[in-house]
Structures are given as structure tokens and as C-alpha cells.
Amino acid sequence: MGVFIQITSFVLIISILVILHELGHFIPAKLFKTKVEKFYLFFDPWFSIVKKKVGDTVYGIGWLPLGGYVKIAGMIDESMDKGQMEQPPQPWEFRSKPAWQRLIIMLGGVIVNFLLAWVIYISIFMYYGESYVPVDQIEHGLYFDSVSEKIGLKTGDKIIAIDGDKVEKLDKYLNIDLLLGDEVTVIREGKEVTVALSDEGKKAALDSRGRQIIVPRYNTLVIGNVADSSNAKKAGILPGDEVVMANGNTFEFWDEFSEEIAKRKGKSIAIQVKRNNELIDINAQVSDSLGLGVIPDLDLAKEKLSIAREYGFFEAIPRGFEETINVLVRQVKQFKLIFNPVIQGYKKVKGPIGIVEMMPTSWNWQFFWSFMAMFSVWLAFLNILPIPALDGGHVMFLLYEIIVGKAPSQKVMEIGQIIGFVIIMSLMVVIFGNDIWNLIKGS
């Protein structure tokens, strides 16, 4: 049932985004009296699942769920319909329309994706509000696990800026911002220090598949999770247990307990925990490589320190726009990771299979809408890239025509379309290759 919900969520999100994106092309094309020959959800090589002609347009659903398209008459697109282009231009064709109208038609999909994300974020902030931990409320700095410390941070650091931009709140984006940044400014042992963020550390964080821990350093020792097949589980330690002492030592912070565990690698450790107001003594073996297999309750400190903010309609409008821009900026910055020879972020790019695995196994409307908004911004960004065969490639040629006063030749457009198609297919091979490789590895 969980996999069914994951697949359903992904297909529904993609379907909504594709239909709205293509409507962004379809509606201005119709307004400018341009003939639209096909409107398809998903691609239809060789055959369609369903199709029906209404007026001049064939509406259908293809079998290949990698997007969708509208086929506009008189336009060199992925169909490479050279026969039509060899005929004299007709007034209802794309190529017969003024350049400014063609530009609006081509930008329509990207604009719809951006506006959709903005509207969704407005709705999310109005309905759910926002919860975060103000940085100035984190008295004892942050706790970083061993993976996060490889980036260049130390437990107890108080982050105040990333790449010179002030950090005011600890939220779900902090891990991402650290991966995308070049340097971080922290208060360390009472002094302001600027630390270069290590590429090797970023690679380790990506290899951990986003499981690195960064939480407020809070005086609690409640266990949040006990790994399956870990020594802690074998010894009888349970989530919710509160560590009272270990080997006769008491601790204030989790990192102090972690240091005690590290000292006992390959040996046993005597732990006393409080469970339902009862003290229980447990002896556990500490693994040389995996340690004890416990992590702190990551939500407890956030619950104690976080603040909740509610938004009315007029407050949500600028906040939704800000969030849309923030998501866009982060996606642009991700290219630094993808092409970095040390980080090798291209190996972590996910295709449909990887994205399905990211979906929750039970229905979650907040995740559904948040993911749709994020993915809508991502589609807008990808489509506006100046690559022939994408909307941005057509926009690039149209801007050239507007500036120079003459459109590129049909031959140039055809070659550009082929080059763009090869680029996109090469990217698809890499993306699907990552998905298949991760499945083989059991990721």
C-alpha cells in the first residue's frame, strides 16, 4: 500500500504540473489564433493510451510518463515535422505570428510553473503557517554528527552567516544551504570564525543521502531512534529512553554521551536509562565501525525552541514569493555540486524511480503541496535553460530574431533541435542510470 501511495503521489503531481505547463503554451497560442495540433499528457511514441480530436486539436494521454507536449502548427519542435515546414506559411501557423506573440507562447509554460509555485506557497503559509528555531535562541550552539563535522563545523558552533548572508533561523533548508555555500561564519568558543566548507565533507554528506544531523545543542539525552540490527537494539535500548549515565559518568549534552561511546569502541558500555520513570541498567557492546546505533530525539530540541508563525492572506503573498525565489536560487546553486569534480553531484541526481522513493508511504497533503511547488519551480528553471528542444532554446532563437531583426534559418533551427535532443537524451541516460544503479545497490 505504501508503494502504491508513493507512485500515486508522484504521477498525480507530474500530471498536474505537465497539464498546467502545457496550458501555459496552449492558451496564448489559441488567443493569438495559432493552430494547436496536439495536446498530450505524457509522450506517445508509436501509440497513445487514449486520444480524441476536438476541433483542430487531438487531446491524448501517452504511455511514457516523462512529461508532455503541445504540437503547434508551423513550429520546429521535437516532432521534427519537416514536411509541414517546407510548405508556404499559413496565417494560423506559429511561424507566421509576430515575434512578440511567439515569445509569449514559448514563455507561457515557464510563467505558469512559477505562478503556480507562488500560489501554492501562499496557500501553504496561510493554512499551515511556519515553524522554525530562531538562531539567537540557540544558547549552546548546534550539535553536528560526524558527517556534518566533515564539512568543517564543530559541535557547539553558532552559525551566524553563510557566504556573508545572515542566518536568522534554523529550518529545513540549513543542511542544503551549507552544501551550496562556500564558507560559513560561526561563533566558536566565544570568537567569530569563518570556515571554508570542505568539498570532501559535502561529498560525504551527499553520500549519506541527506541523513546528516544538525540540531540545536540542547540539554536532553532522550534517544530518538535505535537502528535495526544495532548493538543497542540487541541490548534492549528503546526509542524514548533517557540516558542517565554511562560508565558512571553523567552528561548534559548528547555530544558528550557520543564521546563516551567513541571511547568504548570494541568494548562494552554500561548505560543507565530512565524509562517510564523507572531506572534500568543496560550493558551493550560498542561496534568498532557502527558505534552503538542510537541517535538523539531530533525533534525534542526543535519543539522546545521553535516558534510558530501564522500568516494572513496579505502577509502570505510576499512570503510565498520570497519562498519561490529562495527555492529557485537554491536550485540554480545546485549546479555547483553537480559539476564539481570532487563532490560529483551528478551521481546523486534522481529520476522518476528516485523521486518516487522520496514520497511518503502514507498520504501527507502538506508534503504533497510543498513538493509540487518545489518541483514546479524546478520545471520552470529547467525549461528556461537556453538548450534547443527546451522552451529556453526557442526563447533564445526568438530573442536573437528580435534583436537582429531576422530569424535564424530553418536549417539552423533543425540542427539546434537535434543538438538539444541529444543533450536531453544524454541527461536522461545519466538520470535513469543513477536510478537503476541505486536500485542494484539497494539504496
Side-chain angles (χ1 to χ4, degrees):
M1 188 63 181
V3 174
F4 175 77
I5 290 174
Q6 288 178 308
I7 295 173
T8 301
S9 300
F10 173 70
V11 172
L12 187 56
I13 288 171
I14 291 298
S15 299
I16 292 172
L17 292 179
V18 168
I19 289 171
L20 292 177
H21 176 91
E22 299 307 334
L23 279 173
H25 298 304
F26 180 85
I27 292 173
K30 286 293 189 179
L31 288 175
F32 295 136
K33 302 187 185 306
T34 309
K35 183 179 178 182
V36 179
E37 297 176 347
K38 298 177 75 173
F39 186 116
Y40 260 73
L41 170 64
F42 306 147
F43 293 109
D44 60 324
W46 303 296
F47 67 92
S48 305
I49 295 176
V50 63
K51 63 179 179 179
K52 181 177 178 59
K53 187 170 185 178
V54 179
D56 293 327
T57 307
V58 176
Y59 299 87
I61 300 176
W63 61 270
L64 189 59
L66 298 178
Y69 69 97
V70 289
K71 186 178 185 307
I72 300 175
M75 174 182 173
I76 296 177
D77 57 13
E78 57 271 13
S79 68
M80 295 299 290
D81 189 354
K82 297 181 182 180
Q84 184 183 68
M85 300 301 294
E86 291 172 355
Q87 302 299 318
Q90 301 298 319
W92 35 262
E93 287 186 332
F94 179 81
R95 55 180 165 165
S96 300
K97 303 300 177 181
W100 66 270
Q101 291 186 3
R102 285 179 277 142
L103 185 61
I104 291 174
I105 292 172
M106 294 315 305
L107 286 173
V110 169
I111 292 171
V112 165
N113 280 136
F114 184 88
L115 293 178
L116 174 65
W118 186 8
V119 169
I120 292 175
Y121 280 128
I122 290 172
S123 303
I124 287 174
F125 286 119
M126 285 178 60
Y127 189 81
Y128 296 104
E130 184 178 18
S131 179
Y132 59 88
V133 177
V135 169
D136 57 11
Q137 296 295 313
I138 305 175
E139 182 181 356
H140 303 290
L142 297 170
Y143 166 71
F144 302 95
D145 66 352
S146 58
V147 175
S148 299
E149 286 191 334
K150 289 179 181 179
I151 296 177
L153 297 163
K154 291 184 178 180
T155 291
D157 286 350
K158 296 181 181 180
I159 295 177
I160 58 175
I162 298 175
D163 290 342
D165 295 327
K166 186 177 180 181
V167 175
E168 297 181 342
K169 56 189 179 183
L170 175 66
D171 58 17
K172 62 184 179 180
Y173 294 124
L174 182 62
N175 286 14
I176 299 172
D177 289 338
L178 288 171
L179 288 175
L180 300 178
D182 294 317
E183 61 181 26
V184 59
T185 304
V186 302
I187 301 296
R188 180 178 293 174
E189 298 176 351
K191 297 180 181 180
E192 185 174 307
V193 180
T194 298
V195 180
L197 295 168
S198 156
D199 285 347
E200 290 77 12
K202 293 177 183 179
K203 184 178 187 305
L206 285 175
D207 289 342
S208 75
R209 290 171 287 179
R211 289 200 292 261
Q212 68 271 28
I213 299 172
I214 303 176
V215 293
R217 192 170 183 245
Y218 192 68
N219 54 346
T220 178
L221 294 166
V222 176
I223 294 171
N225 186 63
V226 179
D228 291 335
S229 303
S230 66
N231 290 337
K233 189 164 187 176
K234 293 174 184 176
I237 296 175
L238 302 176
D241 286 351
E242 183 177 3
V243 178
V244 176
M245 65 174 63
N247 286 340
N249 299 314
T250 59
F251 316 99
E252 185 178 6
F253 301 107
W254 184 271
D255 56 280
E256 296 170 342
F257 175 52
S258 296
E259 289 175 4
E260 186 67 27
I261 294 173
K263 293 176 185 176
R264 305 296 299 176
K265 283 185 177 180
K267 303 175 183 178
S268 64
I269 185 170
I271 302 174
Q272 186 178 75
V273 300
K274 183 188 288 186
R275 183 185 302 164
N276 298 325
N277 292 321
E278 180 184 354
L279 294 178
I280 300 173
D281 292 315
I282 297 173
N283 280 296
Q285 189 72 20
V286 179
S287 165
D288 286 327
S289 57
L290 301 177
L292 198 57
V294 294
I295 62 172
D297 187 331
L298 302 180
D299 296 323
L300 193 59
K302 292 180 182 178
E303 289 172 2
K304 297 287 186 181
L305 299 174
S306 66
I307 62 173
R309 180 176 176 183
E310 296 181 351
Y311 291 87
F313 176 70
F314 292 107
E315 292 176 304
I317 292 174
R319 183 66 187 93
F321 183 80
E322 178 188 25
E323 188 73 0
T324 306
I325 295 299
N326 287 341
V327 170
L328 176 60
V329 169
R330 289 185 178 97
Q331 289 171 349
V332 174
K333 287 183 176 180
Q334 284 181 26
F335 276 78
K336 292 197 304 182
L337 303 181
I338 292 173
F339 296 109
N340 185 297
V342 175
I343 299 172
Q344 298 178 333
Y346 66 90
K347 293 183 178 180
K348 306 301 177 184
V349 177
K350 296 181 182 294
I353 299 172
I355 295 173
V356 167
E357 291 177 340
M358 293 170 59
M359 299 289 153
T361 54
S362 59
W363 196 266
N364 184 323
W365 279 113
Q366 185 172 4
F367 179 91
F368 180 87
W369 292 114
S370 296
F371 190 88
M372 183 184 292
M374 180 278 295
F375 210 68
S376 190
V377 177
W378 181 239
L379 287 178
F381 170 64
L382 285 181
N383 274 282
I384 204 60
L385 291 175
I387 299 174
L390 294 177
D391 295 346
H394 293 286
V395 169
M396 176 180 64
F397 287 129
L398 283 166
L399 290 175
Y400 171 87
E401 178 181 347
I402 291 171
I403 294 169
V404 176
K406 181 181 179 182
S409 68
Q410 182 175 321
K411 190 67 175 177
V412 169
M413 298 283 282
E414 290 174 359
I415 292 173
Q417 196 72 18
I418 293 171
I419 292 173
F421 182 78
V422 170
I423 292 173
I424 292 171
M425 288 299 102
S426 300
L427 291 174
M428 295 301 292
V429 168
V430 172
I431 291 169
F432 276 94
N434 285 343
D435 275 357
I436 295 168
W437 177 244
N438 287 330
L439 279 178
I440 294 172
K441 290 194 304 180
S443 301

